[in-house]
Amino acid sequence: MDSSTSVIEDQLLISLRAWPTKDVERQSLPLLISRVNQQRGSFRNITEQSLEEEIQAIKAGEIQSGQEDVDSSSEETVDVKSQTEDVKAARAEVLQLVTQAQMESAYALDFVSLLLSRHVTKQAETTISPFLKQNVPMGSLGTEILQLPQGSDSKNRDDDRVSTGWKQQSLHATQDSLIQAATRLEKELKKETDYWEEVLAVKEKGWSICRLPREKHTLGVRYGFSEAAPEFRDRGLAALRKTENGHIDLDLGIRASVSRTLRVQVYQGTRVIASSVNKKEKQGGDESIEDSILQARNDIFDDELYHELHREARSLTNRGVRCTGDNILLPMGTDQQVMLDLVPTDSDTIEATEKFPADNGIAEIILTASRIFLSHAHQQTANRRRQPPPPLVERRPPRPLYSILRPILVHLQHRSVSNEVLEFLEGLSKVLARAGLNLIRDNSRSGMELSKFLNSTTNAYQSYVEALVNSMSAPLHSSVLLNLPTTTSQLALFIRTNTMGTEYKISVNTALPDTPLSLLPAESHFTTTADMEDHIMHLLTLDLMSLIETSPQGGGWTATSPLTGQLSIDIGVDGYSRLLALSLERDRLELNWSGGSDAARVNGTCVWGETEVEGENSRGLLEMAKRISTARIRS
């Protein structure tokens, strides 16, 4: 037992106390600042050099840290005692001065009260001190007015004149000040009257008058659109400030001082052929407040329209729309494009020339249509706000894109496609006319007259603007009816353009059975202009083959290969066979023929173009076919 105890005593004893934690409060910044102020007095007395010298002195042993603490504590005690004595002395001095002032004011009050006690005793008794009231009888102190020395009569008259002059001068000055005040009041009244008359005129025009949110004493007019985008809705409020002459000054705030408007220009290559903004003549005189408000409204409307056009244009790059800098470019045709930009209202712009009269109104139509579509988008936003709100979601849905450029692109594309089709058919008509054939064409486009539209709109729940926009946004249709050279067949071409593109439908109606045209489907659909043109040229080729085959003037030819446009005669007048091939293109009709024996073939070609005929002579197609069929071939 003793051995075990001695072994335990010889072993190292381990303490089970927890490691001391840091006191966060003692190391906090406010506590450190207070300790520095107590020990050093202020940070002003502490420098880096003094601290380094103090640290070196402590390391050298010249100053003991404990001694420094004792010295600093003793100095602090002395400083505190001296500060306390100074405060007590200052307090005693202030109290002495206050007591002296109180005594002097009491002496003055007793003196005045005793002086007045001779005339108004009861009132003087309320303010006199009790000590003076007991020891000094009331009314014992009096005053007398000494008679002033009398001057001479001349001096008295001079004094009277001087006093009268001063009174007259004072009266004149008072009169002048009253007149000036009345004049100023009349001017201010006229200014206020003019200001409120103009405010009332603005109100009667239908503008909304309200107080500014941050200036309660200033009136403002709301000229913006409540259903616009937030960044434009908040800018649609202007202050109606009163000028020095009493008129209204429209304060637009941080808005640009230069008025800007949306401009639409039509380019053909690099040359401008149409513009929506013409040169404006400067008119004399200041514009009225109503004109300023209207101009501000038009400016913010065009700013929002330009912003929405840029947003939509970035999503229509697959339709050929491009944004180059501040300009928006829309495709319009083969060598034409539309440019939209924002320019100052008073800037000089290029006017449309008379060389392209068909394009003069396109720019104005595009600009007007885009503004109508933006107004309709505002109306749709208002209608959505009237409906019950959708369920709450974590992420707010983005603001939808307005459909402004899409219907405009549909109209431009349909116009371009229709012009291309008409040019194509016009070229074919000229070629066939050179060949002695007629291609009768009847065109029709989908249109709308405003008077008929207004009379046809009878839906009470649909406004005229909504019906107009819906009609403008609907797909466009055009049709062309062709009477083919056989006069017994007709070809109908239907063009339909929507936001997805252009679709062509071709239908053929023929009265002759067992002809190449009767073997084709009644309707054919195409999505490209090239396929449509190839199909029409193929149908015309088949119709020309039928015309040569069935006409008495054709020469008795028989169609052998409708796909290649070949006709043949097995045995002619000279005993040889003949082959005839038709080839129709956009600008030419080519007739190739051959005949004779296999050992010696005779070939010939005749071409009819839009402006001239190439070949042996200028005969027509039927005449050439009959001549080839009856001519003798020498091989």
mmCIF file of all heavy atoms in Angstrom, residues 103-118 121 124-141:
data_model
loop_
_atom_site.group_PDB
_atom_site.id
_atom_site.type_symbol
_atom_site.label_atom_id
_atom_site.label_comp_id
_atom_site.label_asym_id
_atom_site.label_seq_id
_atom_site.Cartn_x
_atom_site.Cartn_y
_atom_site.Cartn_z
ATOM 1 N N MET A 103 -30.183 89.544 -7.463
ATOM 2 C CA MET A 103 -30.345 90.626 -6.490
ATOM 3 C C MET A 103 -30.542 91.965 -7.202
ATOM 4 O O MET A 103 -31.400 92.769 -6.809
ATOM 5 C CB MET A 103 -29.126 90.683 -5.579
ATOM 6 C CG MET A 103 -28.997 89.492 -4.627
ATOM 7 S SD MET A 103 -27.485 89.540 -3.642
ATOM 8 C CE MET A 103 -27.776 91.042 -2.702
ATOM 9 N N GLU A 104 -29.772 92.220 -8.245
ATOM 10 C CA GLU A 104 -29.915 93.488 -8.956
ATOM 11 C C GLU A 104 -31.287 93.604 -9.605
ATOM 12 O O GLU A 104 -31.912 94.670 -9.602
ATOM 13 C CB GLU A 104 -28.818 93.605 -10.014
ATOM 14 C CG GLU A 104 -27.429 93.810 -9.419
ATOM 15 C CD GLU A 104 -26.357 93.906 -10.473
ATOM 16 O OE1 GLU A 104 -26.715 93.730 -11.678
ATOM 17 O OE2 GLU A 104 -25.181 94.132 -10.137
ATOM 18 N N SER A 105 -31.782 92.512 -10.179
ATOM 19 C CA SER A 105 -33.119 92.557 -10.765
ATOM 20 C C SER A 105 -34.190 92.747 -9.700
ATOM 21 O O SER A 105 -35.187 93.437 -9.922
ATOM 22 C CB SER A 105 -33.376 91.264 -11.553
ATOM 23 O OG SER A 105 -33.314 90.127 -10.697
ATOM 24 N N ALA A 106 -33.966 92.160 -8.477
ATOM 25 C CA ALA A 106 -34.931 92.359 -7.388
ATOM 26 C C ALA A 106 -34.927 93.814 -6.919
ATOM 27 O O ALA A 106 -35.987 94.394 -6.642
ATOM 28 C CB ALA A 106 -34.609 91.413 -6.241
ATOM 29 N N TYR A 107 -33.726 94.435 -6.830
ATOM 30 C CA TYR A 107 -33.641 95.857 -6.430
ATOM 31 C C TYR A 107 -34.350 96.740 -7.457
ATOM 32 O O TYR A 107 -35.087 97.673 -7.103
ATOM 33 C CB TYR A 107 -32.185 96.290 -6.315
ATOM 34 C CG TYR A 107 -31.444 95.640 -5.165
ATOM 35 C CD1 TYR A 107 -30.046 95.518 -5.166
ATOM 36 C CD2 TYR A 107 -32.146 95.143 -4.061
ATOM 37 C CE1 TYR A 107 -29.371 94.938 -4.111
ATOM 38 C CE2 TYR A 107 -31.466 94.549 -3.010
ATOM 39 C CZ TYR A 107 -30.090 94.450 -3.034
ATOM 40 O OH TYR A 107 -29.423 93.862 -1.988
ATOM 41 N N ALA A 108 -34.149 96.442 -8.727
ATOM 42 C CA ALA A 108 -34.816 97.236 -9.764
ATOM 43 C C ALA A 108 -36.323 97.074 -9.697
ATOM 44 O O ALA A 108 -37.085 98.046 -9.841
ATOM 45 C CB ALA A 108 -34.291 96.825 -11.139
ATOM 46 N N LEU A 109 -36.795 95.867 -9.428
ATOM 47 C CA LEU A 109 -38.235 95.633 -9.319
ATOM 48 C C LEU A 109 -38.826 96.359 -8.112
ATOM 49 O O LEU A 109 -39.913 96.964 -8.198
ATOM 50 C CB LEU A 109 -38.503 94.115 -9.239
ATOM 51 C CG LEU A 109 -39.966 93.691 -9.128
ATOM 52 C CD1 LEU A 109 -40.765 94.155 -10.341
ATOM 53 C CD2 LEU A 109 -40.082 92.165 -8.973
ATOM 54 N N ASP A 110 -38.094 96.352 -6.957
ATOM 55 C CA ASP A 110 -38.598 97.060 -5.772
ATOM 56 C C ASP A 110 -38.636 98.560 -6.013
ATOM 57 O O ASP A 110 -39.573 99.251 -5.596
ATOM 58 C CB ASP A 110 -37.696 96.740 -4.571
ATOM 59 C CG ASP A 110 -37.918 95.323 -4.089
ATOM 60 O OD1 ASP A 110 -38.965 94.728 -4.446
ATOM 61 O OD2 ASP A 110 -37.041 94.775 -3.397
ATOM 62 N N PHE A 111 -37.626 99.084 -6.733
ATOM 63 C CA PHE A 111 -37.590 100.511 -7.000
ATOM 64 C C PHE A 111 -38.781 100.935 -7.870
ATOM 65 O O PHE A 111 -39.478 101.916 -7.565
ATOM 66 C CB PHE A 111 -36.265 100.870 -7.672
ATOM 67 C CG PHE A 111 -36.180 102.303 -8.123
ATOM 68 C CD1 PHE A 111 -35.957 103.319 -7.189
ATOM 69 C CD2 PHE A 111 -36.357 102.642 -9.451
ATOM 70 C CE1 PHE A 111 -35.883 104.647 -7.602
ATOM 71 C CE2 PHE A 111 -36.279 103.959 -9.858
ATOM 72 C CZ PHE A 111 -36.041 104.964 -8.934
ATOM 73 N N VAL A 112 -39.033 100.204 -8.914
ATOM 74 C CA VAL A 112 -40.145 100.543 -9.812
ATOM 75 C C VAL A 112 -41.474 100.352 -9.101
ATOM 76 O O VAL A 112 -42.403 101.178 -9.236
ATOM 77 C CB VAL A 112 -40.058 99.695 -11.096
ATOM 78 C CG1 VAL A 112 -41.278 99.945 -11.979
ATOM 79 C CG2 VAL A 112 -38.797 100.006 -11.866
ATOM 80 N N SER A 113 -41.590 99.311 -8.285
ATOM 81 C CA SER A 113 -42.853 99.073 -7.578
ATOM 82 C C SER A 113 -43.118 100.171 -6.559
ATOM 83 O O SER A 113 -44.264 100.643 -6.413
ATOM 84 C CB SER A 113 -42.803 97.701 -6.886
ATOM 85 O OG SER A 113 -42.624 96.673 -7.838
ATOM 86 N N LEU A 114 -42.068 100.601 -5.808
ATOM 87 C CA LEU A 114 -42.244 101.676 -4.835
ATOM 88 C C LEU A 114 -42.570 102.997 -5.520
ATOM 89 O O LEU A 114 -43.347 103.805 -5.007
ATOM 90 C CB LEU A 114 -40.972 101.811 -3.984
ATOM 91 C CG LEU A 114 -41.006 102.817 -2.831
ATOM 92 C CD1 LEU A 114 -42.119 102.442 -1.827
ATOM 93 C CD2 LEU A 114 -39.653 102.886 -2.125
ATOM 94 N N LEU A 115 -42.024 103.225 -6.690
ATOM 95 C CA LEU A 115 -42.311 104.442 -7.447
ATOM 96 C C LEU A 115 -43.744 104.458 -7.947
ATOM 97 O O LEU A 115 -44.421 105.499 -7.941
ATOM 98 C CB LEU A 115 -41.335 104.554 -8.604
ATOM 99 C CG LEU A 115 -41.396 105.842 -9.448
ATOM 100 C CD1 LEU A 115 -41.093 107.060 -8.572
ATOM 101 C CD2 LEU A 115 -40.432 105.766 -10.615
ATOM 102 N N LEU A 116 -44.267 103.297 -8.328
ATOM 103 C CA LEU A 116 -45.632 103.219 -8.835
ATOM 104 C C LEU A 116 -46.656 103.120 -7.716
ATOM 105 O O LEU A 116 -47.869 103.273 -7.964
ATOM 106 C CB LEU A 116 -45.789 101.990 -9.772
ATOM 107 C CG LEU A 116 -45.015 102.022 -11.101
ATOM 108 C CD1 LEU A 116 -45.205 100.719 -11.853
ATOM 109 C CD2 LEU A 116 -45.465 103.201 -11.953
ATOM 110 N N SER A 117 -46.197 102.833 -6.506
ATOM 111 C CA SER A 117 -47.152 102.684 -5.402
ATOM 112 C C SER A 117 -47.872 103.992 -5.073
ATOM 113 O O SER A 117 -48.931 103.982 -4.438
ATOM 114 C CB SER A 117 -46.420 102.160 -4.157
ATOM 115 O OG SER A 117 -45.440 103.091 -3.720
ATOM 116 N N ARG A 118 -47.340 105.125 -5.498
ATOM 117 C CA ARG A 118 -47.990 106.414 -5.237
ATOM 118 C C ARG A 118 -49.213 106.594 -6.133
ATOM 119 O O ARG A 118 -50.160 107.290 -5.756
ATOM 120 C CB ARG A 118 -46.998 107.541 -5.448
ATOM 121 C CG ARG A 118 -47.546 108.916 -5.086
ATOM 122 C CD ARG A 118 -46.446 109.920 -5.198
ATOM 123 N NE ARG A 118 -46.935 111.250 -4.828
ATOM 124 C CZ ARG A 118 -46.180 112.357 -4.785
ATOM 125 N NH1 ARG A 118 -44.875 112.251 -5.093
ATOM 126 N NH2 ARG A 118 -46.687 113.522 -4.448
ATOM 127 N N THR A 121 -51.531 101.760 -6.149
ATOM 128 C CA THR A 121 -51.036 101.080 -4.949
ATOM 129 C C THR A 121 -51.273 99.583 -5.007
ATOM 130 O O THR A 121 -50.393 98.781 -4.651
ATOM 131 C CB THR A 121 -51.709 101.686 -3.712
ATOM 132 O OG1 THR A 121 -51.554 103.110 -3.733
ATOM 133 C CG2 THR A 121 -51.120 101.122 -2.433
ATOM 134 N N ALA A 124 -48.912 97.796 -7.323
ATOM 135 C CA ALA A 124 -47.527 97.809 -6.842
ATOM 136 C C ALA A 124 -47.324 96.846 -5.699
ATOM 137 O O ALA A 124 -46.227 96.297 -5.515
ATOM 138 C CB ALA A 124 -47.142 99.215 -6.420
ATOM 139 N N GLU A 125 -48.346 96.621 -4.894
ATOM 140 C CA GLU A 125 -48.200 95.700 -3.766
ATOM 141 C C GLU A 125 -47.982 94.260 -4.224
ATOM 142 O O GLU A 125 -47.412 93.456 -3.490
ATOM 143 C CB GLU A 125 -49.450 95.779 -2.887
ATOM 144 C CG GLU A 125 -49.566 97.091 -2.122
ATOM 145 C CD GLU A 125 -50.830 97.153 -1.268
ATOM 146 O OE1 GLU A 125 -51.639 96.194 -1.409
ATOM 147 O OE2 GLU A 125 -51.004 98.112 -0.508
ATOM 148 N N THR A 126 -48.429 93.936 -5.409
ATOM 149 C CA THR A 126 -48.265 92.547 -5.888
ATOM 150 C C THR A 126 -46.843 92.233 -6.321
ATOM 151 O O THR A 126 -46.438 91.071 -6.351
ATOM 152 C CB THR A 126 -49.219 92.295 -7.064
ATOM 153 O OG1 THR A 126 -48.932 93.236 -8.101
ATOM 154 C CG2 THR A 126 -50.673 92.447 -6.639
ATOM 155 N N THR A 127 -46.038 93.270 -6.642
ATOM 156 C CA THR A 127 -44.689 93.034 -7.140
ATOM 157 C C THR A 127 -43.601 93.467 -6.177
ATOM 158 O O THR A 127 -42.429 93.139 -6.398
ATOM 159 C CB THR A 127 -44.491 93.773 -8.477
ATOM 160 O OG1 THR A 127 -44.743 95.164 -8.281
ATOM 161 C CG2 THR A 127 -45.440 93.236 -9.544
ATOM 162 N N ILE A 128 -43.938 94.246 -5.118
ATOM 163 C CA ILE A 128 -42.928 94.705 -4.177
ATOM 164 C C ILE A 128 -42.538 93.570 -3.252
ATOM 165 O O ILE A 128 -43.328 92.666 -2.955
ATOM 166 C CB ILE A 128 -43.454 95.931 -3.390
ATOM 167 C CG1 ILE A 128 -42.280 96.683 -2.754
ATOM 168 C CG2 ILE A 128 -44.501 95.513 -2.370
ATOM 169 C CD1 ILE A 128 -42.700 98.018 -2.175
ATOM 170 N N SER A 129 -41.291 93.574 -2.785
ATOM 171 C CA SER A 129 -40.802 92.499 -1.912
ATOM 172 C C SER A 129 -41.398 92.659 -0.513
ATOM 173 O O SER A 129 -41.703 93.774 -0.063
ATOM 174 C CB SER A 129 -39.272 92.528 -1.847
ATOM 175 O OG SER A 129 -38.833 93.745 -1.287
ATOM 176 N N PRO A 130 -41.558 91.572 0.235
ATOM 177 C CA PRO A 130 -42.133 91.669 1.595
ATOM 178 C C PRO A 130 -41.267 92.516 2.541
ATOM 179 O O PRO A 130 -41.787 93.244 3.381
ATOM 180 C CB PRO A 130 -42.204 90.208 2.038
ATOM 181 C CG PRO A 130 -42.228 89.412 0.791
ATOM 182 C CD PRO A 130 -41.395 90.183 -0.176
ATOM 183 N N PHE A 131 -39.934 92.421 2.424
ATOM 184 C CA PHE A 131 -39.063 93.200 3.305
ATOM 185 C C PHE A 131 -39.273 94.688 3.110
ATOM 186 O O PHE A 131 -39.395 95.456 4.067
ATOM 187 C CB PHE A 131 -37.606 92.818 3.045
ATOM 188 C CG PHE A 131 -36.623 93.606 3.858
ATOM 189 C CD1 PHE A 131 -36.388 93.280 5.193
ATOM 190 C CD2 PHE A 131 -35.942 94.685 3.305
ATOM 191 C CE1 PHE A 131 -35.495 94.018 5.952
ATOM 192 C CE2 PHE A 131 -35.048 95.418 4.060
ATOM 193 C CZ PHE A 131 -34.807 95.092 5.392
ATOM 194 N N LEU A 132 -39.303 95.131 1.853
ATOM 195 C CA LEU A 132 -39.498 96.556 1.578
ATOM 196 C C LEU A 132 -40.906 96.993 1.934
ATOM 197 O O LEU A 132 -41.121 98.146 2.378
ATOM 198 C CB LEU A 132 -39.234 96.814 0.088
ATOM 199 C CG LEU A 132 -39.144 98.284 -0.349
ATOM 200 C CD1 LEU A 132 -37.997 98.980 0.390
ATOM 201 C CD2 LEU A 132 -38.975 98.396 -1.851
ATOM 202 N N LYS A 133 -41.852 96.115 1.812
ATOM 203 C CA LYS A 133 -43.234 96.458 2.141
ATOM 204 C C LYS A 133 -43.400 96.677 3.641
ATOM 205 O O LYS A 133 -44.208 97.518 4.091
ATOM 206 C CB LYS A 133 -44.150 95.344 1.648
ATOM 207 C CG LYS A 133 -45.629 95.634 1.798
ATOM 208 C CD LYS A 133 -46.439 94.487 1.218
ATOM 209 C CE LYS A 133 -47.932 94.752 1.331
ATOM 210 N NZ LYS A 133 -48.730 93.644 0.786
ATOM 211 N N GLN A 134 -42.650 95.969 4.484
ATOM 212 C CA GLN A 134 -42.759 96.098 5.931
ATOM 213 C C GLN A 134 -41.985 97.301 6.459
ATOM 214 O O GLN A 134 -42.398 97.944 7.441
ATOM 215 C CB GLN A 134 -42.243 94.816 6.606
ATOM 216 C CG GLN A 134 -43.126 93.603 6.340
ATOM 217 C CD GLN A 134 -42.575 92.344 6.987
ATOM 218 O OE1 GLN A 134 -41.513 92.400 7.634
ATOM 219 N NE2 GLN A 134 -43.270 91.218 6.790
ATOM 220 N N ASN A 135 -40.859 97.665 5.852
ATOM 221 C CA ASN A 135 -39.981 98.698 6.392
ATOM 222 C C ASN A 135 -40.170 100.069 5.743
ATOM 223 O O ASN A 135 -39.761 101.090 6.318
ATOM 224 C CB ASN A 135 -38.518 98.282 6.239
ATOM 225 C CG ASN A 135 -38.199 97.012 7.025
ATOM 226 O OD1 ASN A 135 -38.412 96.948 8.240
ATOM 227 N ND2 ASN A 135 -37.726 95.996 6.348
ATOM 228 N N VAL A 136 -40.722 100.138 4.576
ATOM 229 C CA VAL A 136 -40.872 101.420 3.869
ATOM 230 C C VAL A 136 -42.354 101.613 3.587
ATOM 231 O O VAL A 136 -42.999 100.704 3.028
ATOM 232 C CB VAL A 136 -40.064 101.442 2.570
ATOM 233 C CG1 VAL A 136 -40.253 102.781 1.838
ATOM 234 C CG2 VAL A 136 -38.586 101.225 2.865
ATOM 235 N N PRO A 137 -42.904 102.765 4.006
ATOM 236 C CA PRO A 137 -44.319 102.996 3.735
ATOM 237 C C PRO A 137 -44.570 103.137 2.238
ATOM 238 O O PRO A 137 -43.733 103.637 1.491
ATOM 239 C CB PRO A 137 -44.630 104.281 4.501
ATOM 240 C CG PRO A 137 -43.323 104.957 4.655
ATOM 241 C CD PRO A 137 -42.285 103.891 4.784
ATOM 242 N N MET A 138 -45.757 102.708 1.810
ATOM 243 C CA MET A 138 -46.126 102.774 0.414
ATOM 244 C C MET A 138 -46.354 104.217 -0.002
ATOM 245 O O MET A 138 -46.918 105.016 0.731
ATOM 246 C CB MET A 138 -47.398 101.956 0.146
ATOM 247 C CG MET A 138 -47.284 100.479 0.549
ATOM 248 S SD MET A 138 -45.964 99.610 -0.335
ATOM 249 C CE MET A 138 -46.678 99.630 -1.957
ATOM 250 N N GLY A 139 -45.898 104.605 -1.190
ATOM 251 C CA GLY A 139 -46.083 105.939 -1.726
ATOM 252 C C GLY A 139 -45.087 106.943 -1.205
ATOM 253 O O GLY A 139 -45.292 108.155 -1.379
ATOM 254 N N SER A 140 -44.044 106.493 -0.522
ATOM 255 C CA SER A 140 -43.064 107.428 0.034
ATOM 256 C C SER A 140 -42.087 107.939 -1.021
ATOM 257 O O SER A 140 -41.338 108.876 -0.770
ATOM 258 C CB SER A 140 -42.284 106.740 1.165
ATOM 259 O OG SER A 140 -41.629 105.576 0.659
ATOM 260 N N LEU A 141 -42.082 107.328 -2.200
ATOM 261 C CA LEU A 141 -41.178 107.735 -3.271
ATOM 262 C C LEU A 141 -42.003 108.293 -4.421
ATOM 263 O O LEU A 141 -42.970 107.661 -4.850
ATOM 264 C CB LEU A 141 -40.342 106.556 -3.767
ATOM 265 C CG LEU A 141 -39.267 106.857 -4.834
ATOM 266 C CD1 LEU A 141 -38.228 107.819 -4.272
ATOM 267 C CD2 LEU A 141 -38.603 105.554 -5.292
#
